[in-house]
Structure formats: C-alpha cells, structure tokens
Amino acid sequence: MDFAFTEEQNQFRDVVARFCRDKSPSPTVRKIIAGERGFDPEVWQQMCRQLGLAALHVTEQSGGAGFGAVELGIVMEELGRNLMPVPYLSSVLATTALAQLQDAETRDPLMGAISGAERLATLVLDPRSGDPVSRDLTAADHTIAGTAGAVLDGASADLVLAIVADAEGYGLHAVTAPADGYRVRPLRTMDGTRRFAELRFDATPAMRLGTLTDTQVKRVYDTALVALANEMVGGARMLLDSTVEYAQMRVQFGRPIGSFQAIKHRLADLLVDVELAAVAAHQAAAALAAGEDVSVNASLAKFTASDAYMNAAREAIQLRGGIGFTWENDTHLWYRRAKSSEVFLGTPAFHRERMIQELTA
C-alpha cells in the first residue's frame, strides 16, 4: 500500500503539535508526574471539547468525530513526541470498544460523555498480552467479580469497561465508579507519565452493554496496537532529533562530537530504525482506516516501534555521556516511557510470534 499524508492531515498535525508543545513542556511534565492524579484536568477538557480528540477515530454513525485511524496515529505521535501525560490512550480503548456496539441508544450517550470529558473511561486489558478479553473476570446477574491487574488510568476512570466471556459470547460490561464491591489500588511503575491501577470487583454492579464478535474484539486490540505504535514513533523521533542536536553542540577535542565518524554511524543506524518504525506504524494506520484486517500490520508496527524506541532511548543516554544518566536531564523521562511501552499490550517477542501465527494460519 502506497501511503502519504494529505495536506489536510499535515495541517491537522501542526495544530496538534502546537497544542502539545504549549501544554506539555518538560517542567510541566515533571510537575504532573509528581502529583497524585497524573494529568491536568483542564488540559484534558481542552483536548476533548475544543479539539475534539477523544473519539476522533470513531465514525459519526457510531457517535464519534468521523475521522479515522490515520488521524488517530497523528495525534498519538505528537503526544508521544511531547510525552504529554493525558488519559488519551485509555479513552481510545474505551471509545473503540463502544464503537463496536450496534445499539445507538446504549452507545451514543456514553460516547458523548467521554467525548465531552464528562466521563473518564478506560478498558480492562489482560496485563500480560493486552488482550481485550478479561480472562480474570467473571460476569453474572448484572455483576462483575475478579481482579483486573494493570488497568490503564484505572485510578482516575469513573467508567470502567470490560469485555468478559459469558454464555452469550463476549459481553461488553460497564462499571460506574465508585460502586459497591469496587476497590482501586494504584500501582507504582517506572513511568510516571502513564498510570496503572489494580481493580478489584466483588459482585460489583455492572451494566451489560452488548455482545462483541471475535472480529470486533480483534479490531479493538489492533486499534490499540496501532495507536501505541504511532505514539512510540513520536517518542523515538524526539529522542533522535534531540540527540542529533546535542551531538552538533557538544564539543570534544575542539570538534563537535557529531563530526566523529563513529557517532555519525550510530546516529545513521538509529535514523534507519526510527524511519522503518514510522513506515510500519503509518502503514498499519492506513490499513486500519481502510477497513482491512490489520493483525499482521499491527503486530509488526508494535514490535518494530518498540525496538526503535528502546534503541533511541539507549543511544540518547549513552551519547550524552555522564549527563545522560542524571535526573536533571530529561532523557530518562522518555527512556521510562519507552520501557513501559515496550511491554504494554504485549512484548516484541509476543508480537513477533503473533505475526508469524497470523501469516501461517
């Protein structure tokens, strides 16, 4: 598939990029991750109400803004580049799951509340693979029971969605927090810009919103993978650009270190890694927007972006020498995000195996 961004998409990127730069400078990021909530509610409301980003990729028929996966990838890339701590990916998970429902009377009010920042929603995922089907939860008699580990933005969400296998298939259930039998335990992780929590349900009241097919569940998962891959590409690009800038500025032996052949080779190799990851992520988004089966593309994008992001983070620290290891230098913030993203929704090894299985099925 030949792919290139349109002029309108590039203009859209400029708008999102300016917003992210203005709202997420490094001092602001550090202040937010040191707080309890993990994001700025005012900035989140601006993203939802002024820019309309919360359900950007959902069709108008399903209650969304009517754009697509390519535009979603653009937003995620800019958020990743600026390390913006907002509950955007969790909202993408929730709105993607809701968009699979056919019942507009059930779907649209919830979609509208999420889009307008009236509700903060998330989707329970398997903590090991990122599978949207919650294997550790059971649902019966309008209740949910079990423990959900590592739920993205679980401590902040007041609407928790879970896909649970039951007698009728894969049921999409909604829990409105706070609720009886509902317990939240925030988890301490290395990446303060992305919050997780353990959620415990003890016969917690839940509303069954509808039934999803295998294809719809896979669509939710692949959308999440494509979104995350594009976010990682944004972070990797930022690390590459900042490291090149540093190499041009840092002087040793009377010359910028970027003029040394060994440094040039390392940066050139990193550029190839990042560009390959960008191609994989952008192609996966385009295929998703076209309605294709993107399981192979999504897994390819995920492990390629994971590898490129981690390589960029390691090189960014090492090429900065001693200063790259200090708390005052911002590089570690992106390293932490790279490491957490590497394992979130499945490790690179998991997705290499998934891609092979899809190709040989």
Side-chain angles (χ1 to χ4, degrees):
M1 175 188 292
D2 293 331
F3 173 77
F5 291 109
T6 65
E7 181 179 351
E8 291 77 11
Q9 288 168 343
N10 286 326
Q11 292 174 349
F12 174 67
R13 180 186 295 277
D14 291 340
V15 172
V16 176
R18 286 198 301 271
F19 180 84
C20 292
R21 286 195 301 268
D22 291 343
K23 302 299 182 181
S24 189
S26 175
T28 300
V29 173
R30 287 175 175 266
K31 180 180 178 180
I32 289 176
I33 64 178
E36 292 185 5
R37 191 156 196 175
F39 69 99
D40 185 337
E42 183 177 347
V43 171
W44 176 240
Q45 290 182 1
Q46 291 174 348
M47 287 183 64
C48 295
R49 297 174 183 176
Q50 296 180 16
L51 299 183
L53 300 182
L56 175 81
H57 64 299
V58 178
T59 64
E60 293 180 344
Q61 293 81 359
S62 297
F67 289 88
V70 174
E71 288 77 14
L72 171 62
I74 289 173
V75 174
M76 292 299 299
E77 190 171 339
E78 295 305 321
L79 292 177
R81 183 180 185 90
N82 293 275
L83 206 66
M84 198 164 179
V86 287
Y88 189 71
L89 183 54
S90 54
S91 293
V92 169
L93 290 168
T95 54
T96 302
L98 285 173
Q100 309 307 312
L101 299 176
Q102 300 299 316
D103 184 1
E105 293 185 1
T106 300
R107 177 195 65 215
D108 290 354
L110 293 175
M111 192 76 76
I114 298 171
S115 301
E118 298 167 13
R119 306 289 297 272
L120 184 58
T122 189
L123 177 69
V124 174
L125 303 174
D126 185 279
R128 295 166 290 275
S129 66
D131 189 336
V133 178
S134 303
R135 311 293 180 183
D136 298 326
L137 300 181
T138 58
D141 300 325
H142 305 290
T143 63
I144 284 183
T147 300
V151 178
L152 181 61
D153 296 314
S156 302
D158 55 17
L159 178 64
V160 179
L161 303 180
I163 302 174
V164 183
D166 54 28
E168 299 178 43
Y170 294 124
L172 179 61
H173 301 260
V175 172
T176 300
D180 293 338
Y182 178 75
R183 300 290 183 271
V184 178
R185 183 173 70 89
L187 300 178
R188 183 178 179 181
T189 62
M190 69 179 299
D191 178 19
T193 65
R194 177 169 280 152
R195 301 294 178 91
F196 291 90
E198 179 187 82
L199 307 183
R200 295 183 180 181
F201 305 92
D202 183 9
T204 303
M207 176 184 294
R208 195 180 194 279
L209 305 178
T211 302
L212 305 187
T213 65
D214 287 328
T215 300
Q216 289 174 323
V217 170
K218 182 184 288 188
R219 190 76 175 178
V220 174
Y221 187 36
D222 289 336
T223 300
L225 292 174
V226 172
L228 182 58
N230 278 273
E231 180 195 79
M232 289 190 287
V233 166
R237 282 193 189 279
M238 195 291 307
L239 288 170
L240 172 63
D241 292 346
S242 65
T243 304
V244 169
E245 181 181 357
Y246 180 82
Q248 293 172 335
M249 177 270 295
R250 179 72 169 92
V251 174
Q252 285 186 341
F253 308 109
R255 294 169 53 188
I257 63 173
S259 66
F260 298 128
Q261 191 174 38
I263 302 299
K264 289 180 179 180
H265 286 174
R266 291 175 69 173
L267 292 174
D269 289 342
L270 183 56
L271 173 62
V272 172
D273 289 344
V274 173
E275 288 303 315
L276 286 175
V279 169
H282 296 163
Q283 291 281 18
L288 187 64
E292 300 177 8
D293 183 348
V294 297
S295 295
V296 171
N297 287 14
S299 285
L300 173 64
K302 173 59 168 70
F303 73 70
T304 304
S306 296
D307 291 344
Y309 202 177
M310 281 306 305
N311 288 341
R314 285 190 289 263
E315 292 287 3
I317 290 177
Q318 291 175 9
L319 292 178
R320 282 168 171 78
I323 194 174
F325 291 87
T326 64
W327 179 260
E328 290 75 16
N329 188 272
D330 291 333
T331 309
H332 71 90
L333 297 175
W334 275 267
Y335 179 91
R336 292 165 182 264
R337 171 62 72 87
K339 193 61 182 176
S340 69
S341 298
E342 182 185 32
V343 298
F344 185 45
L345 299 181
T347 65
F350 173 86
H351 283 287
R352 285 184 171 89
E353 179 65 24
R354 180 178 187 248
M355 186 183 73
I356 293 172
Q357 290 179 357
E358 289 287 341
L359 287 172
T360 57

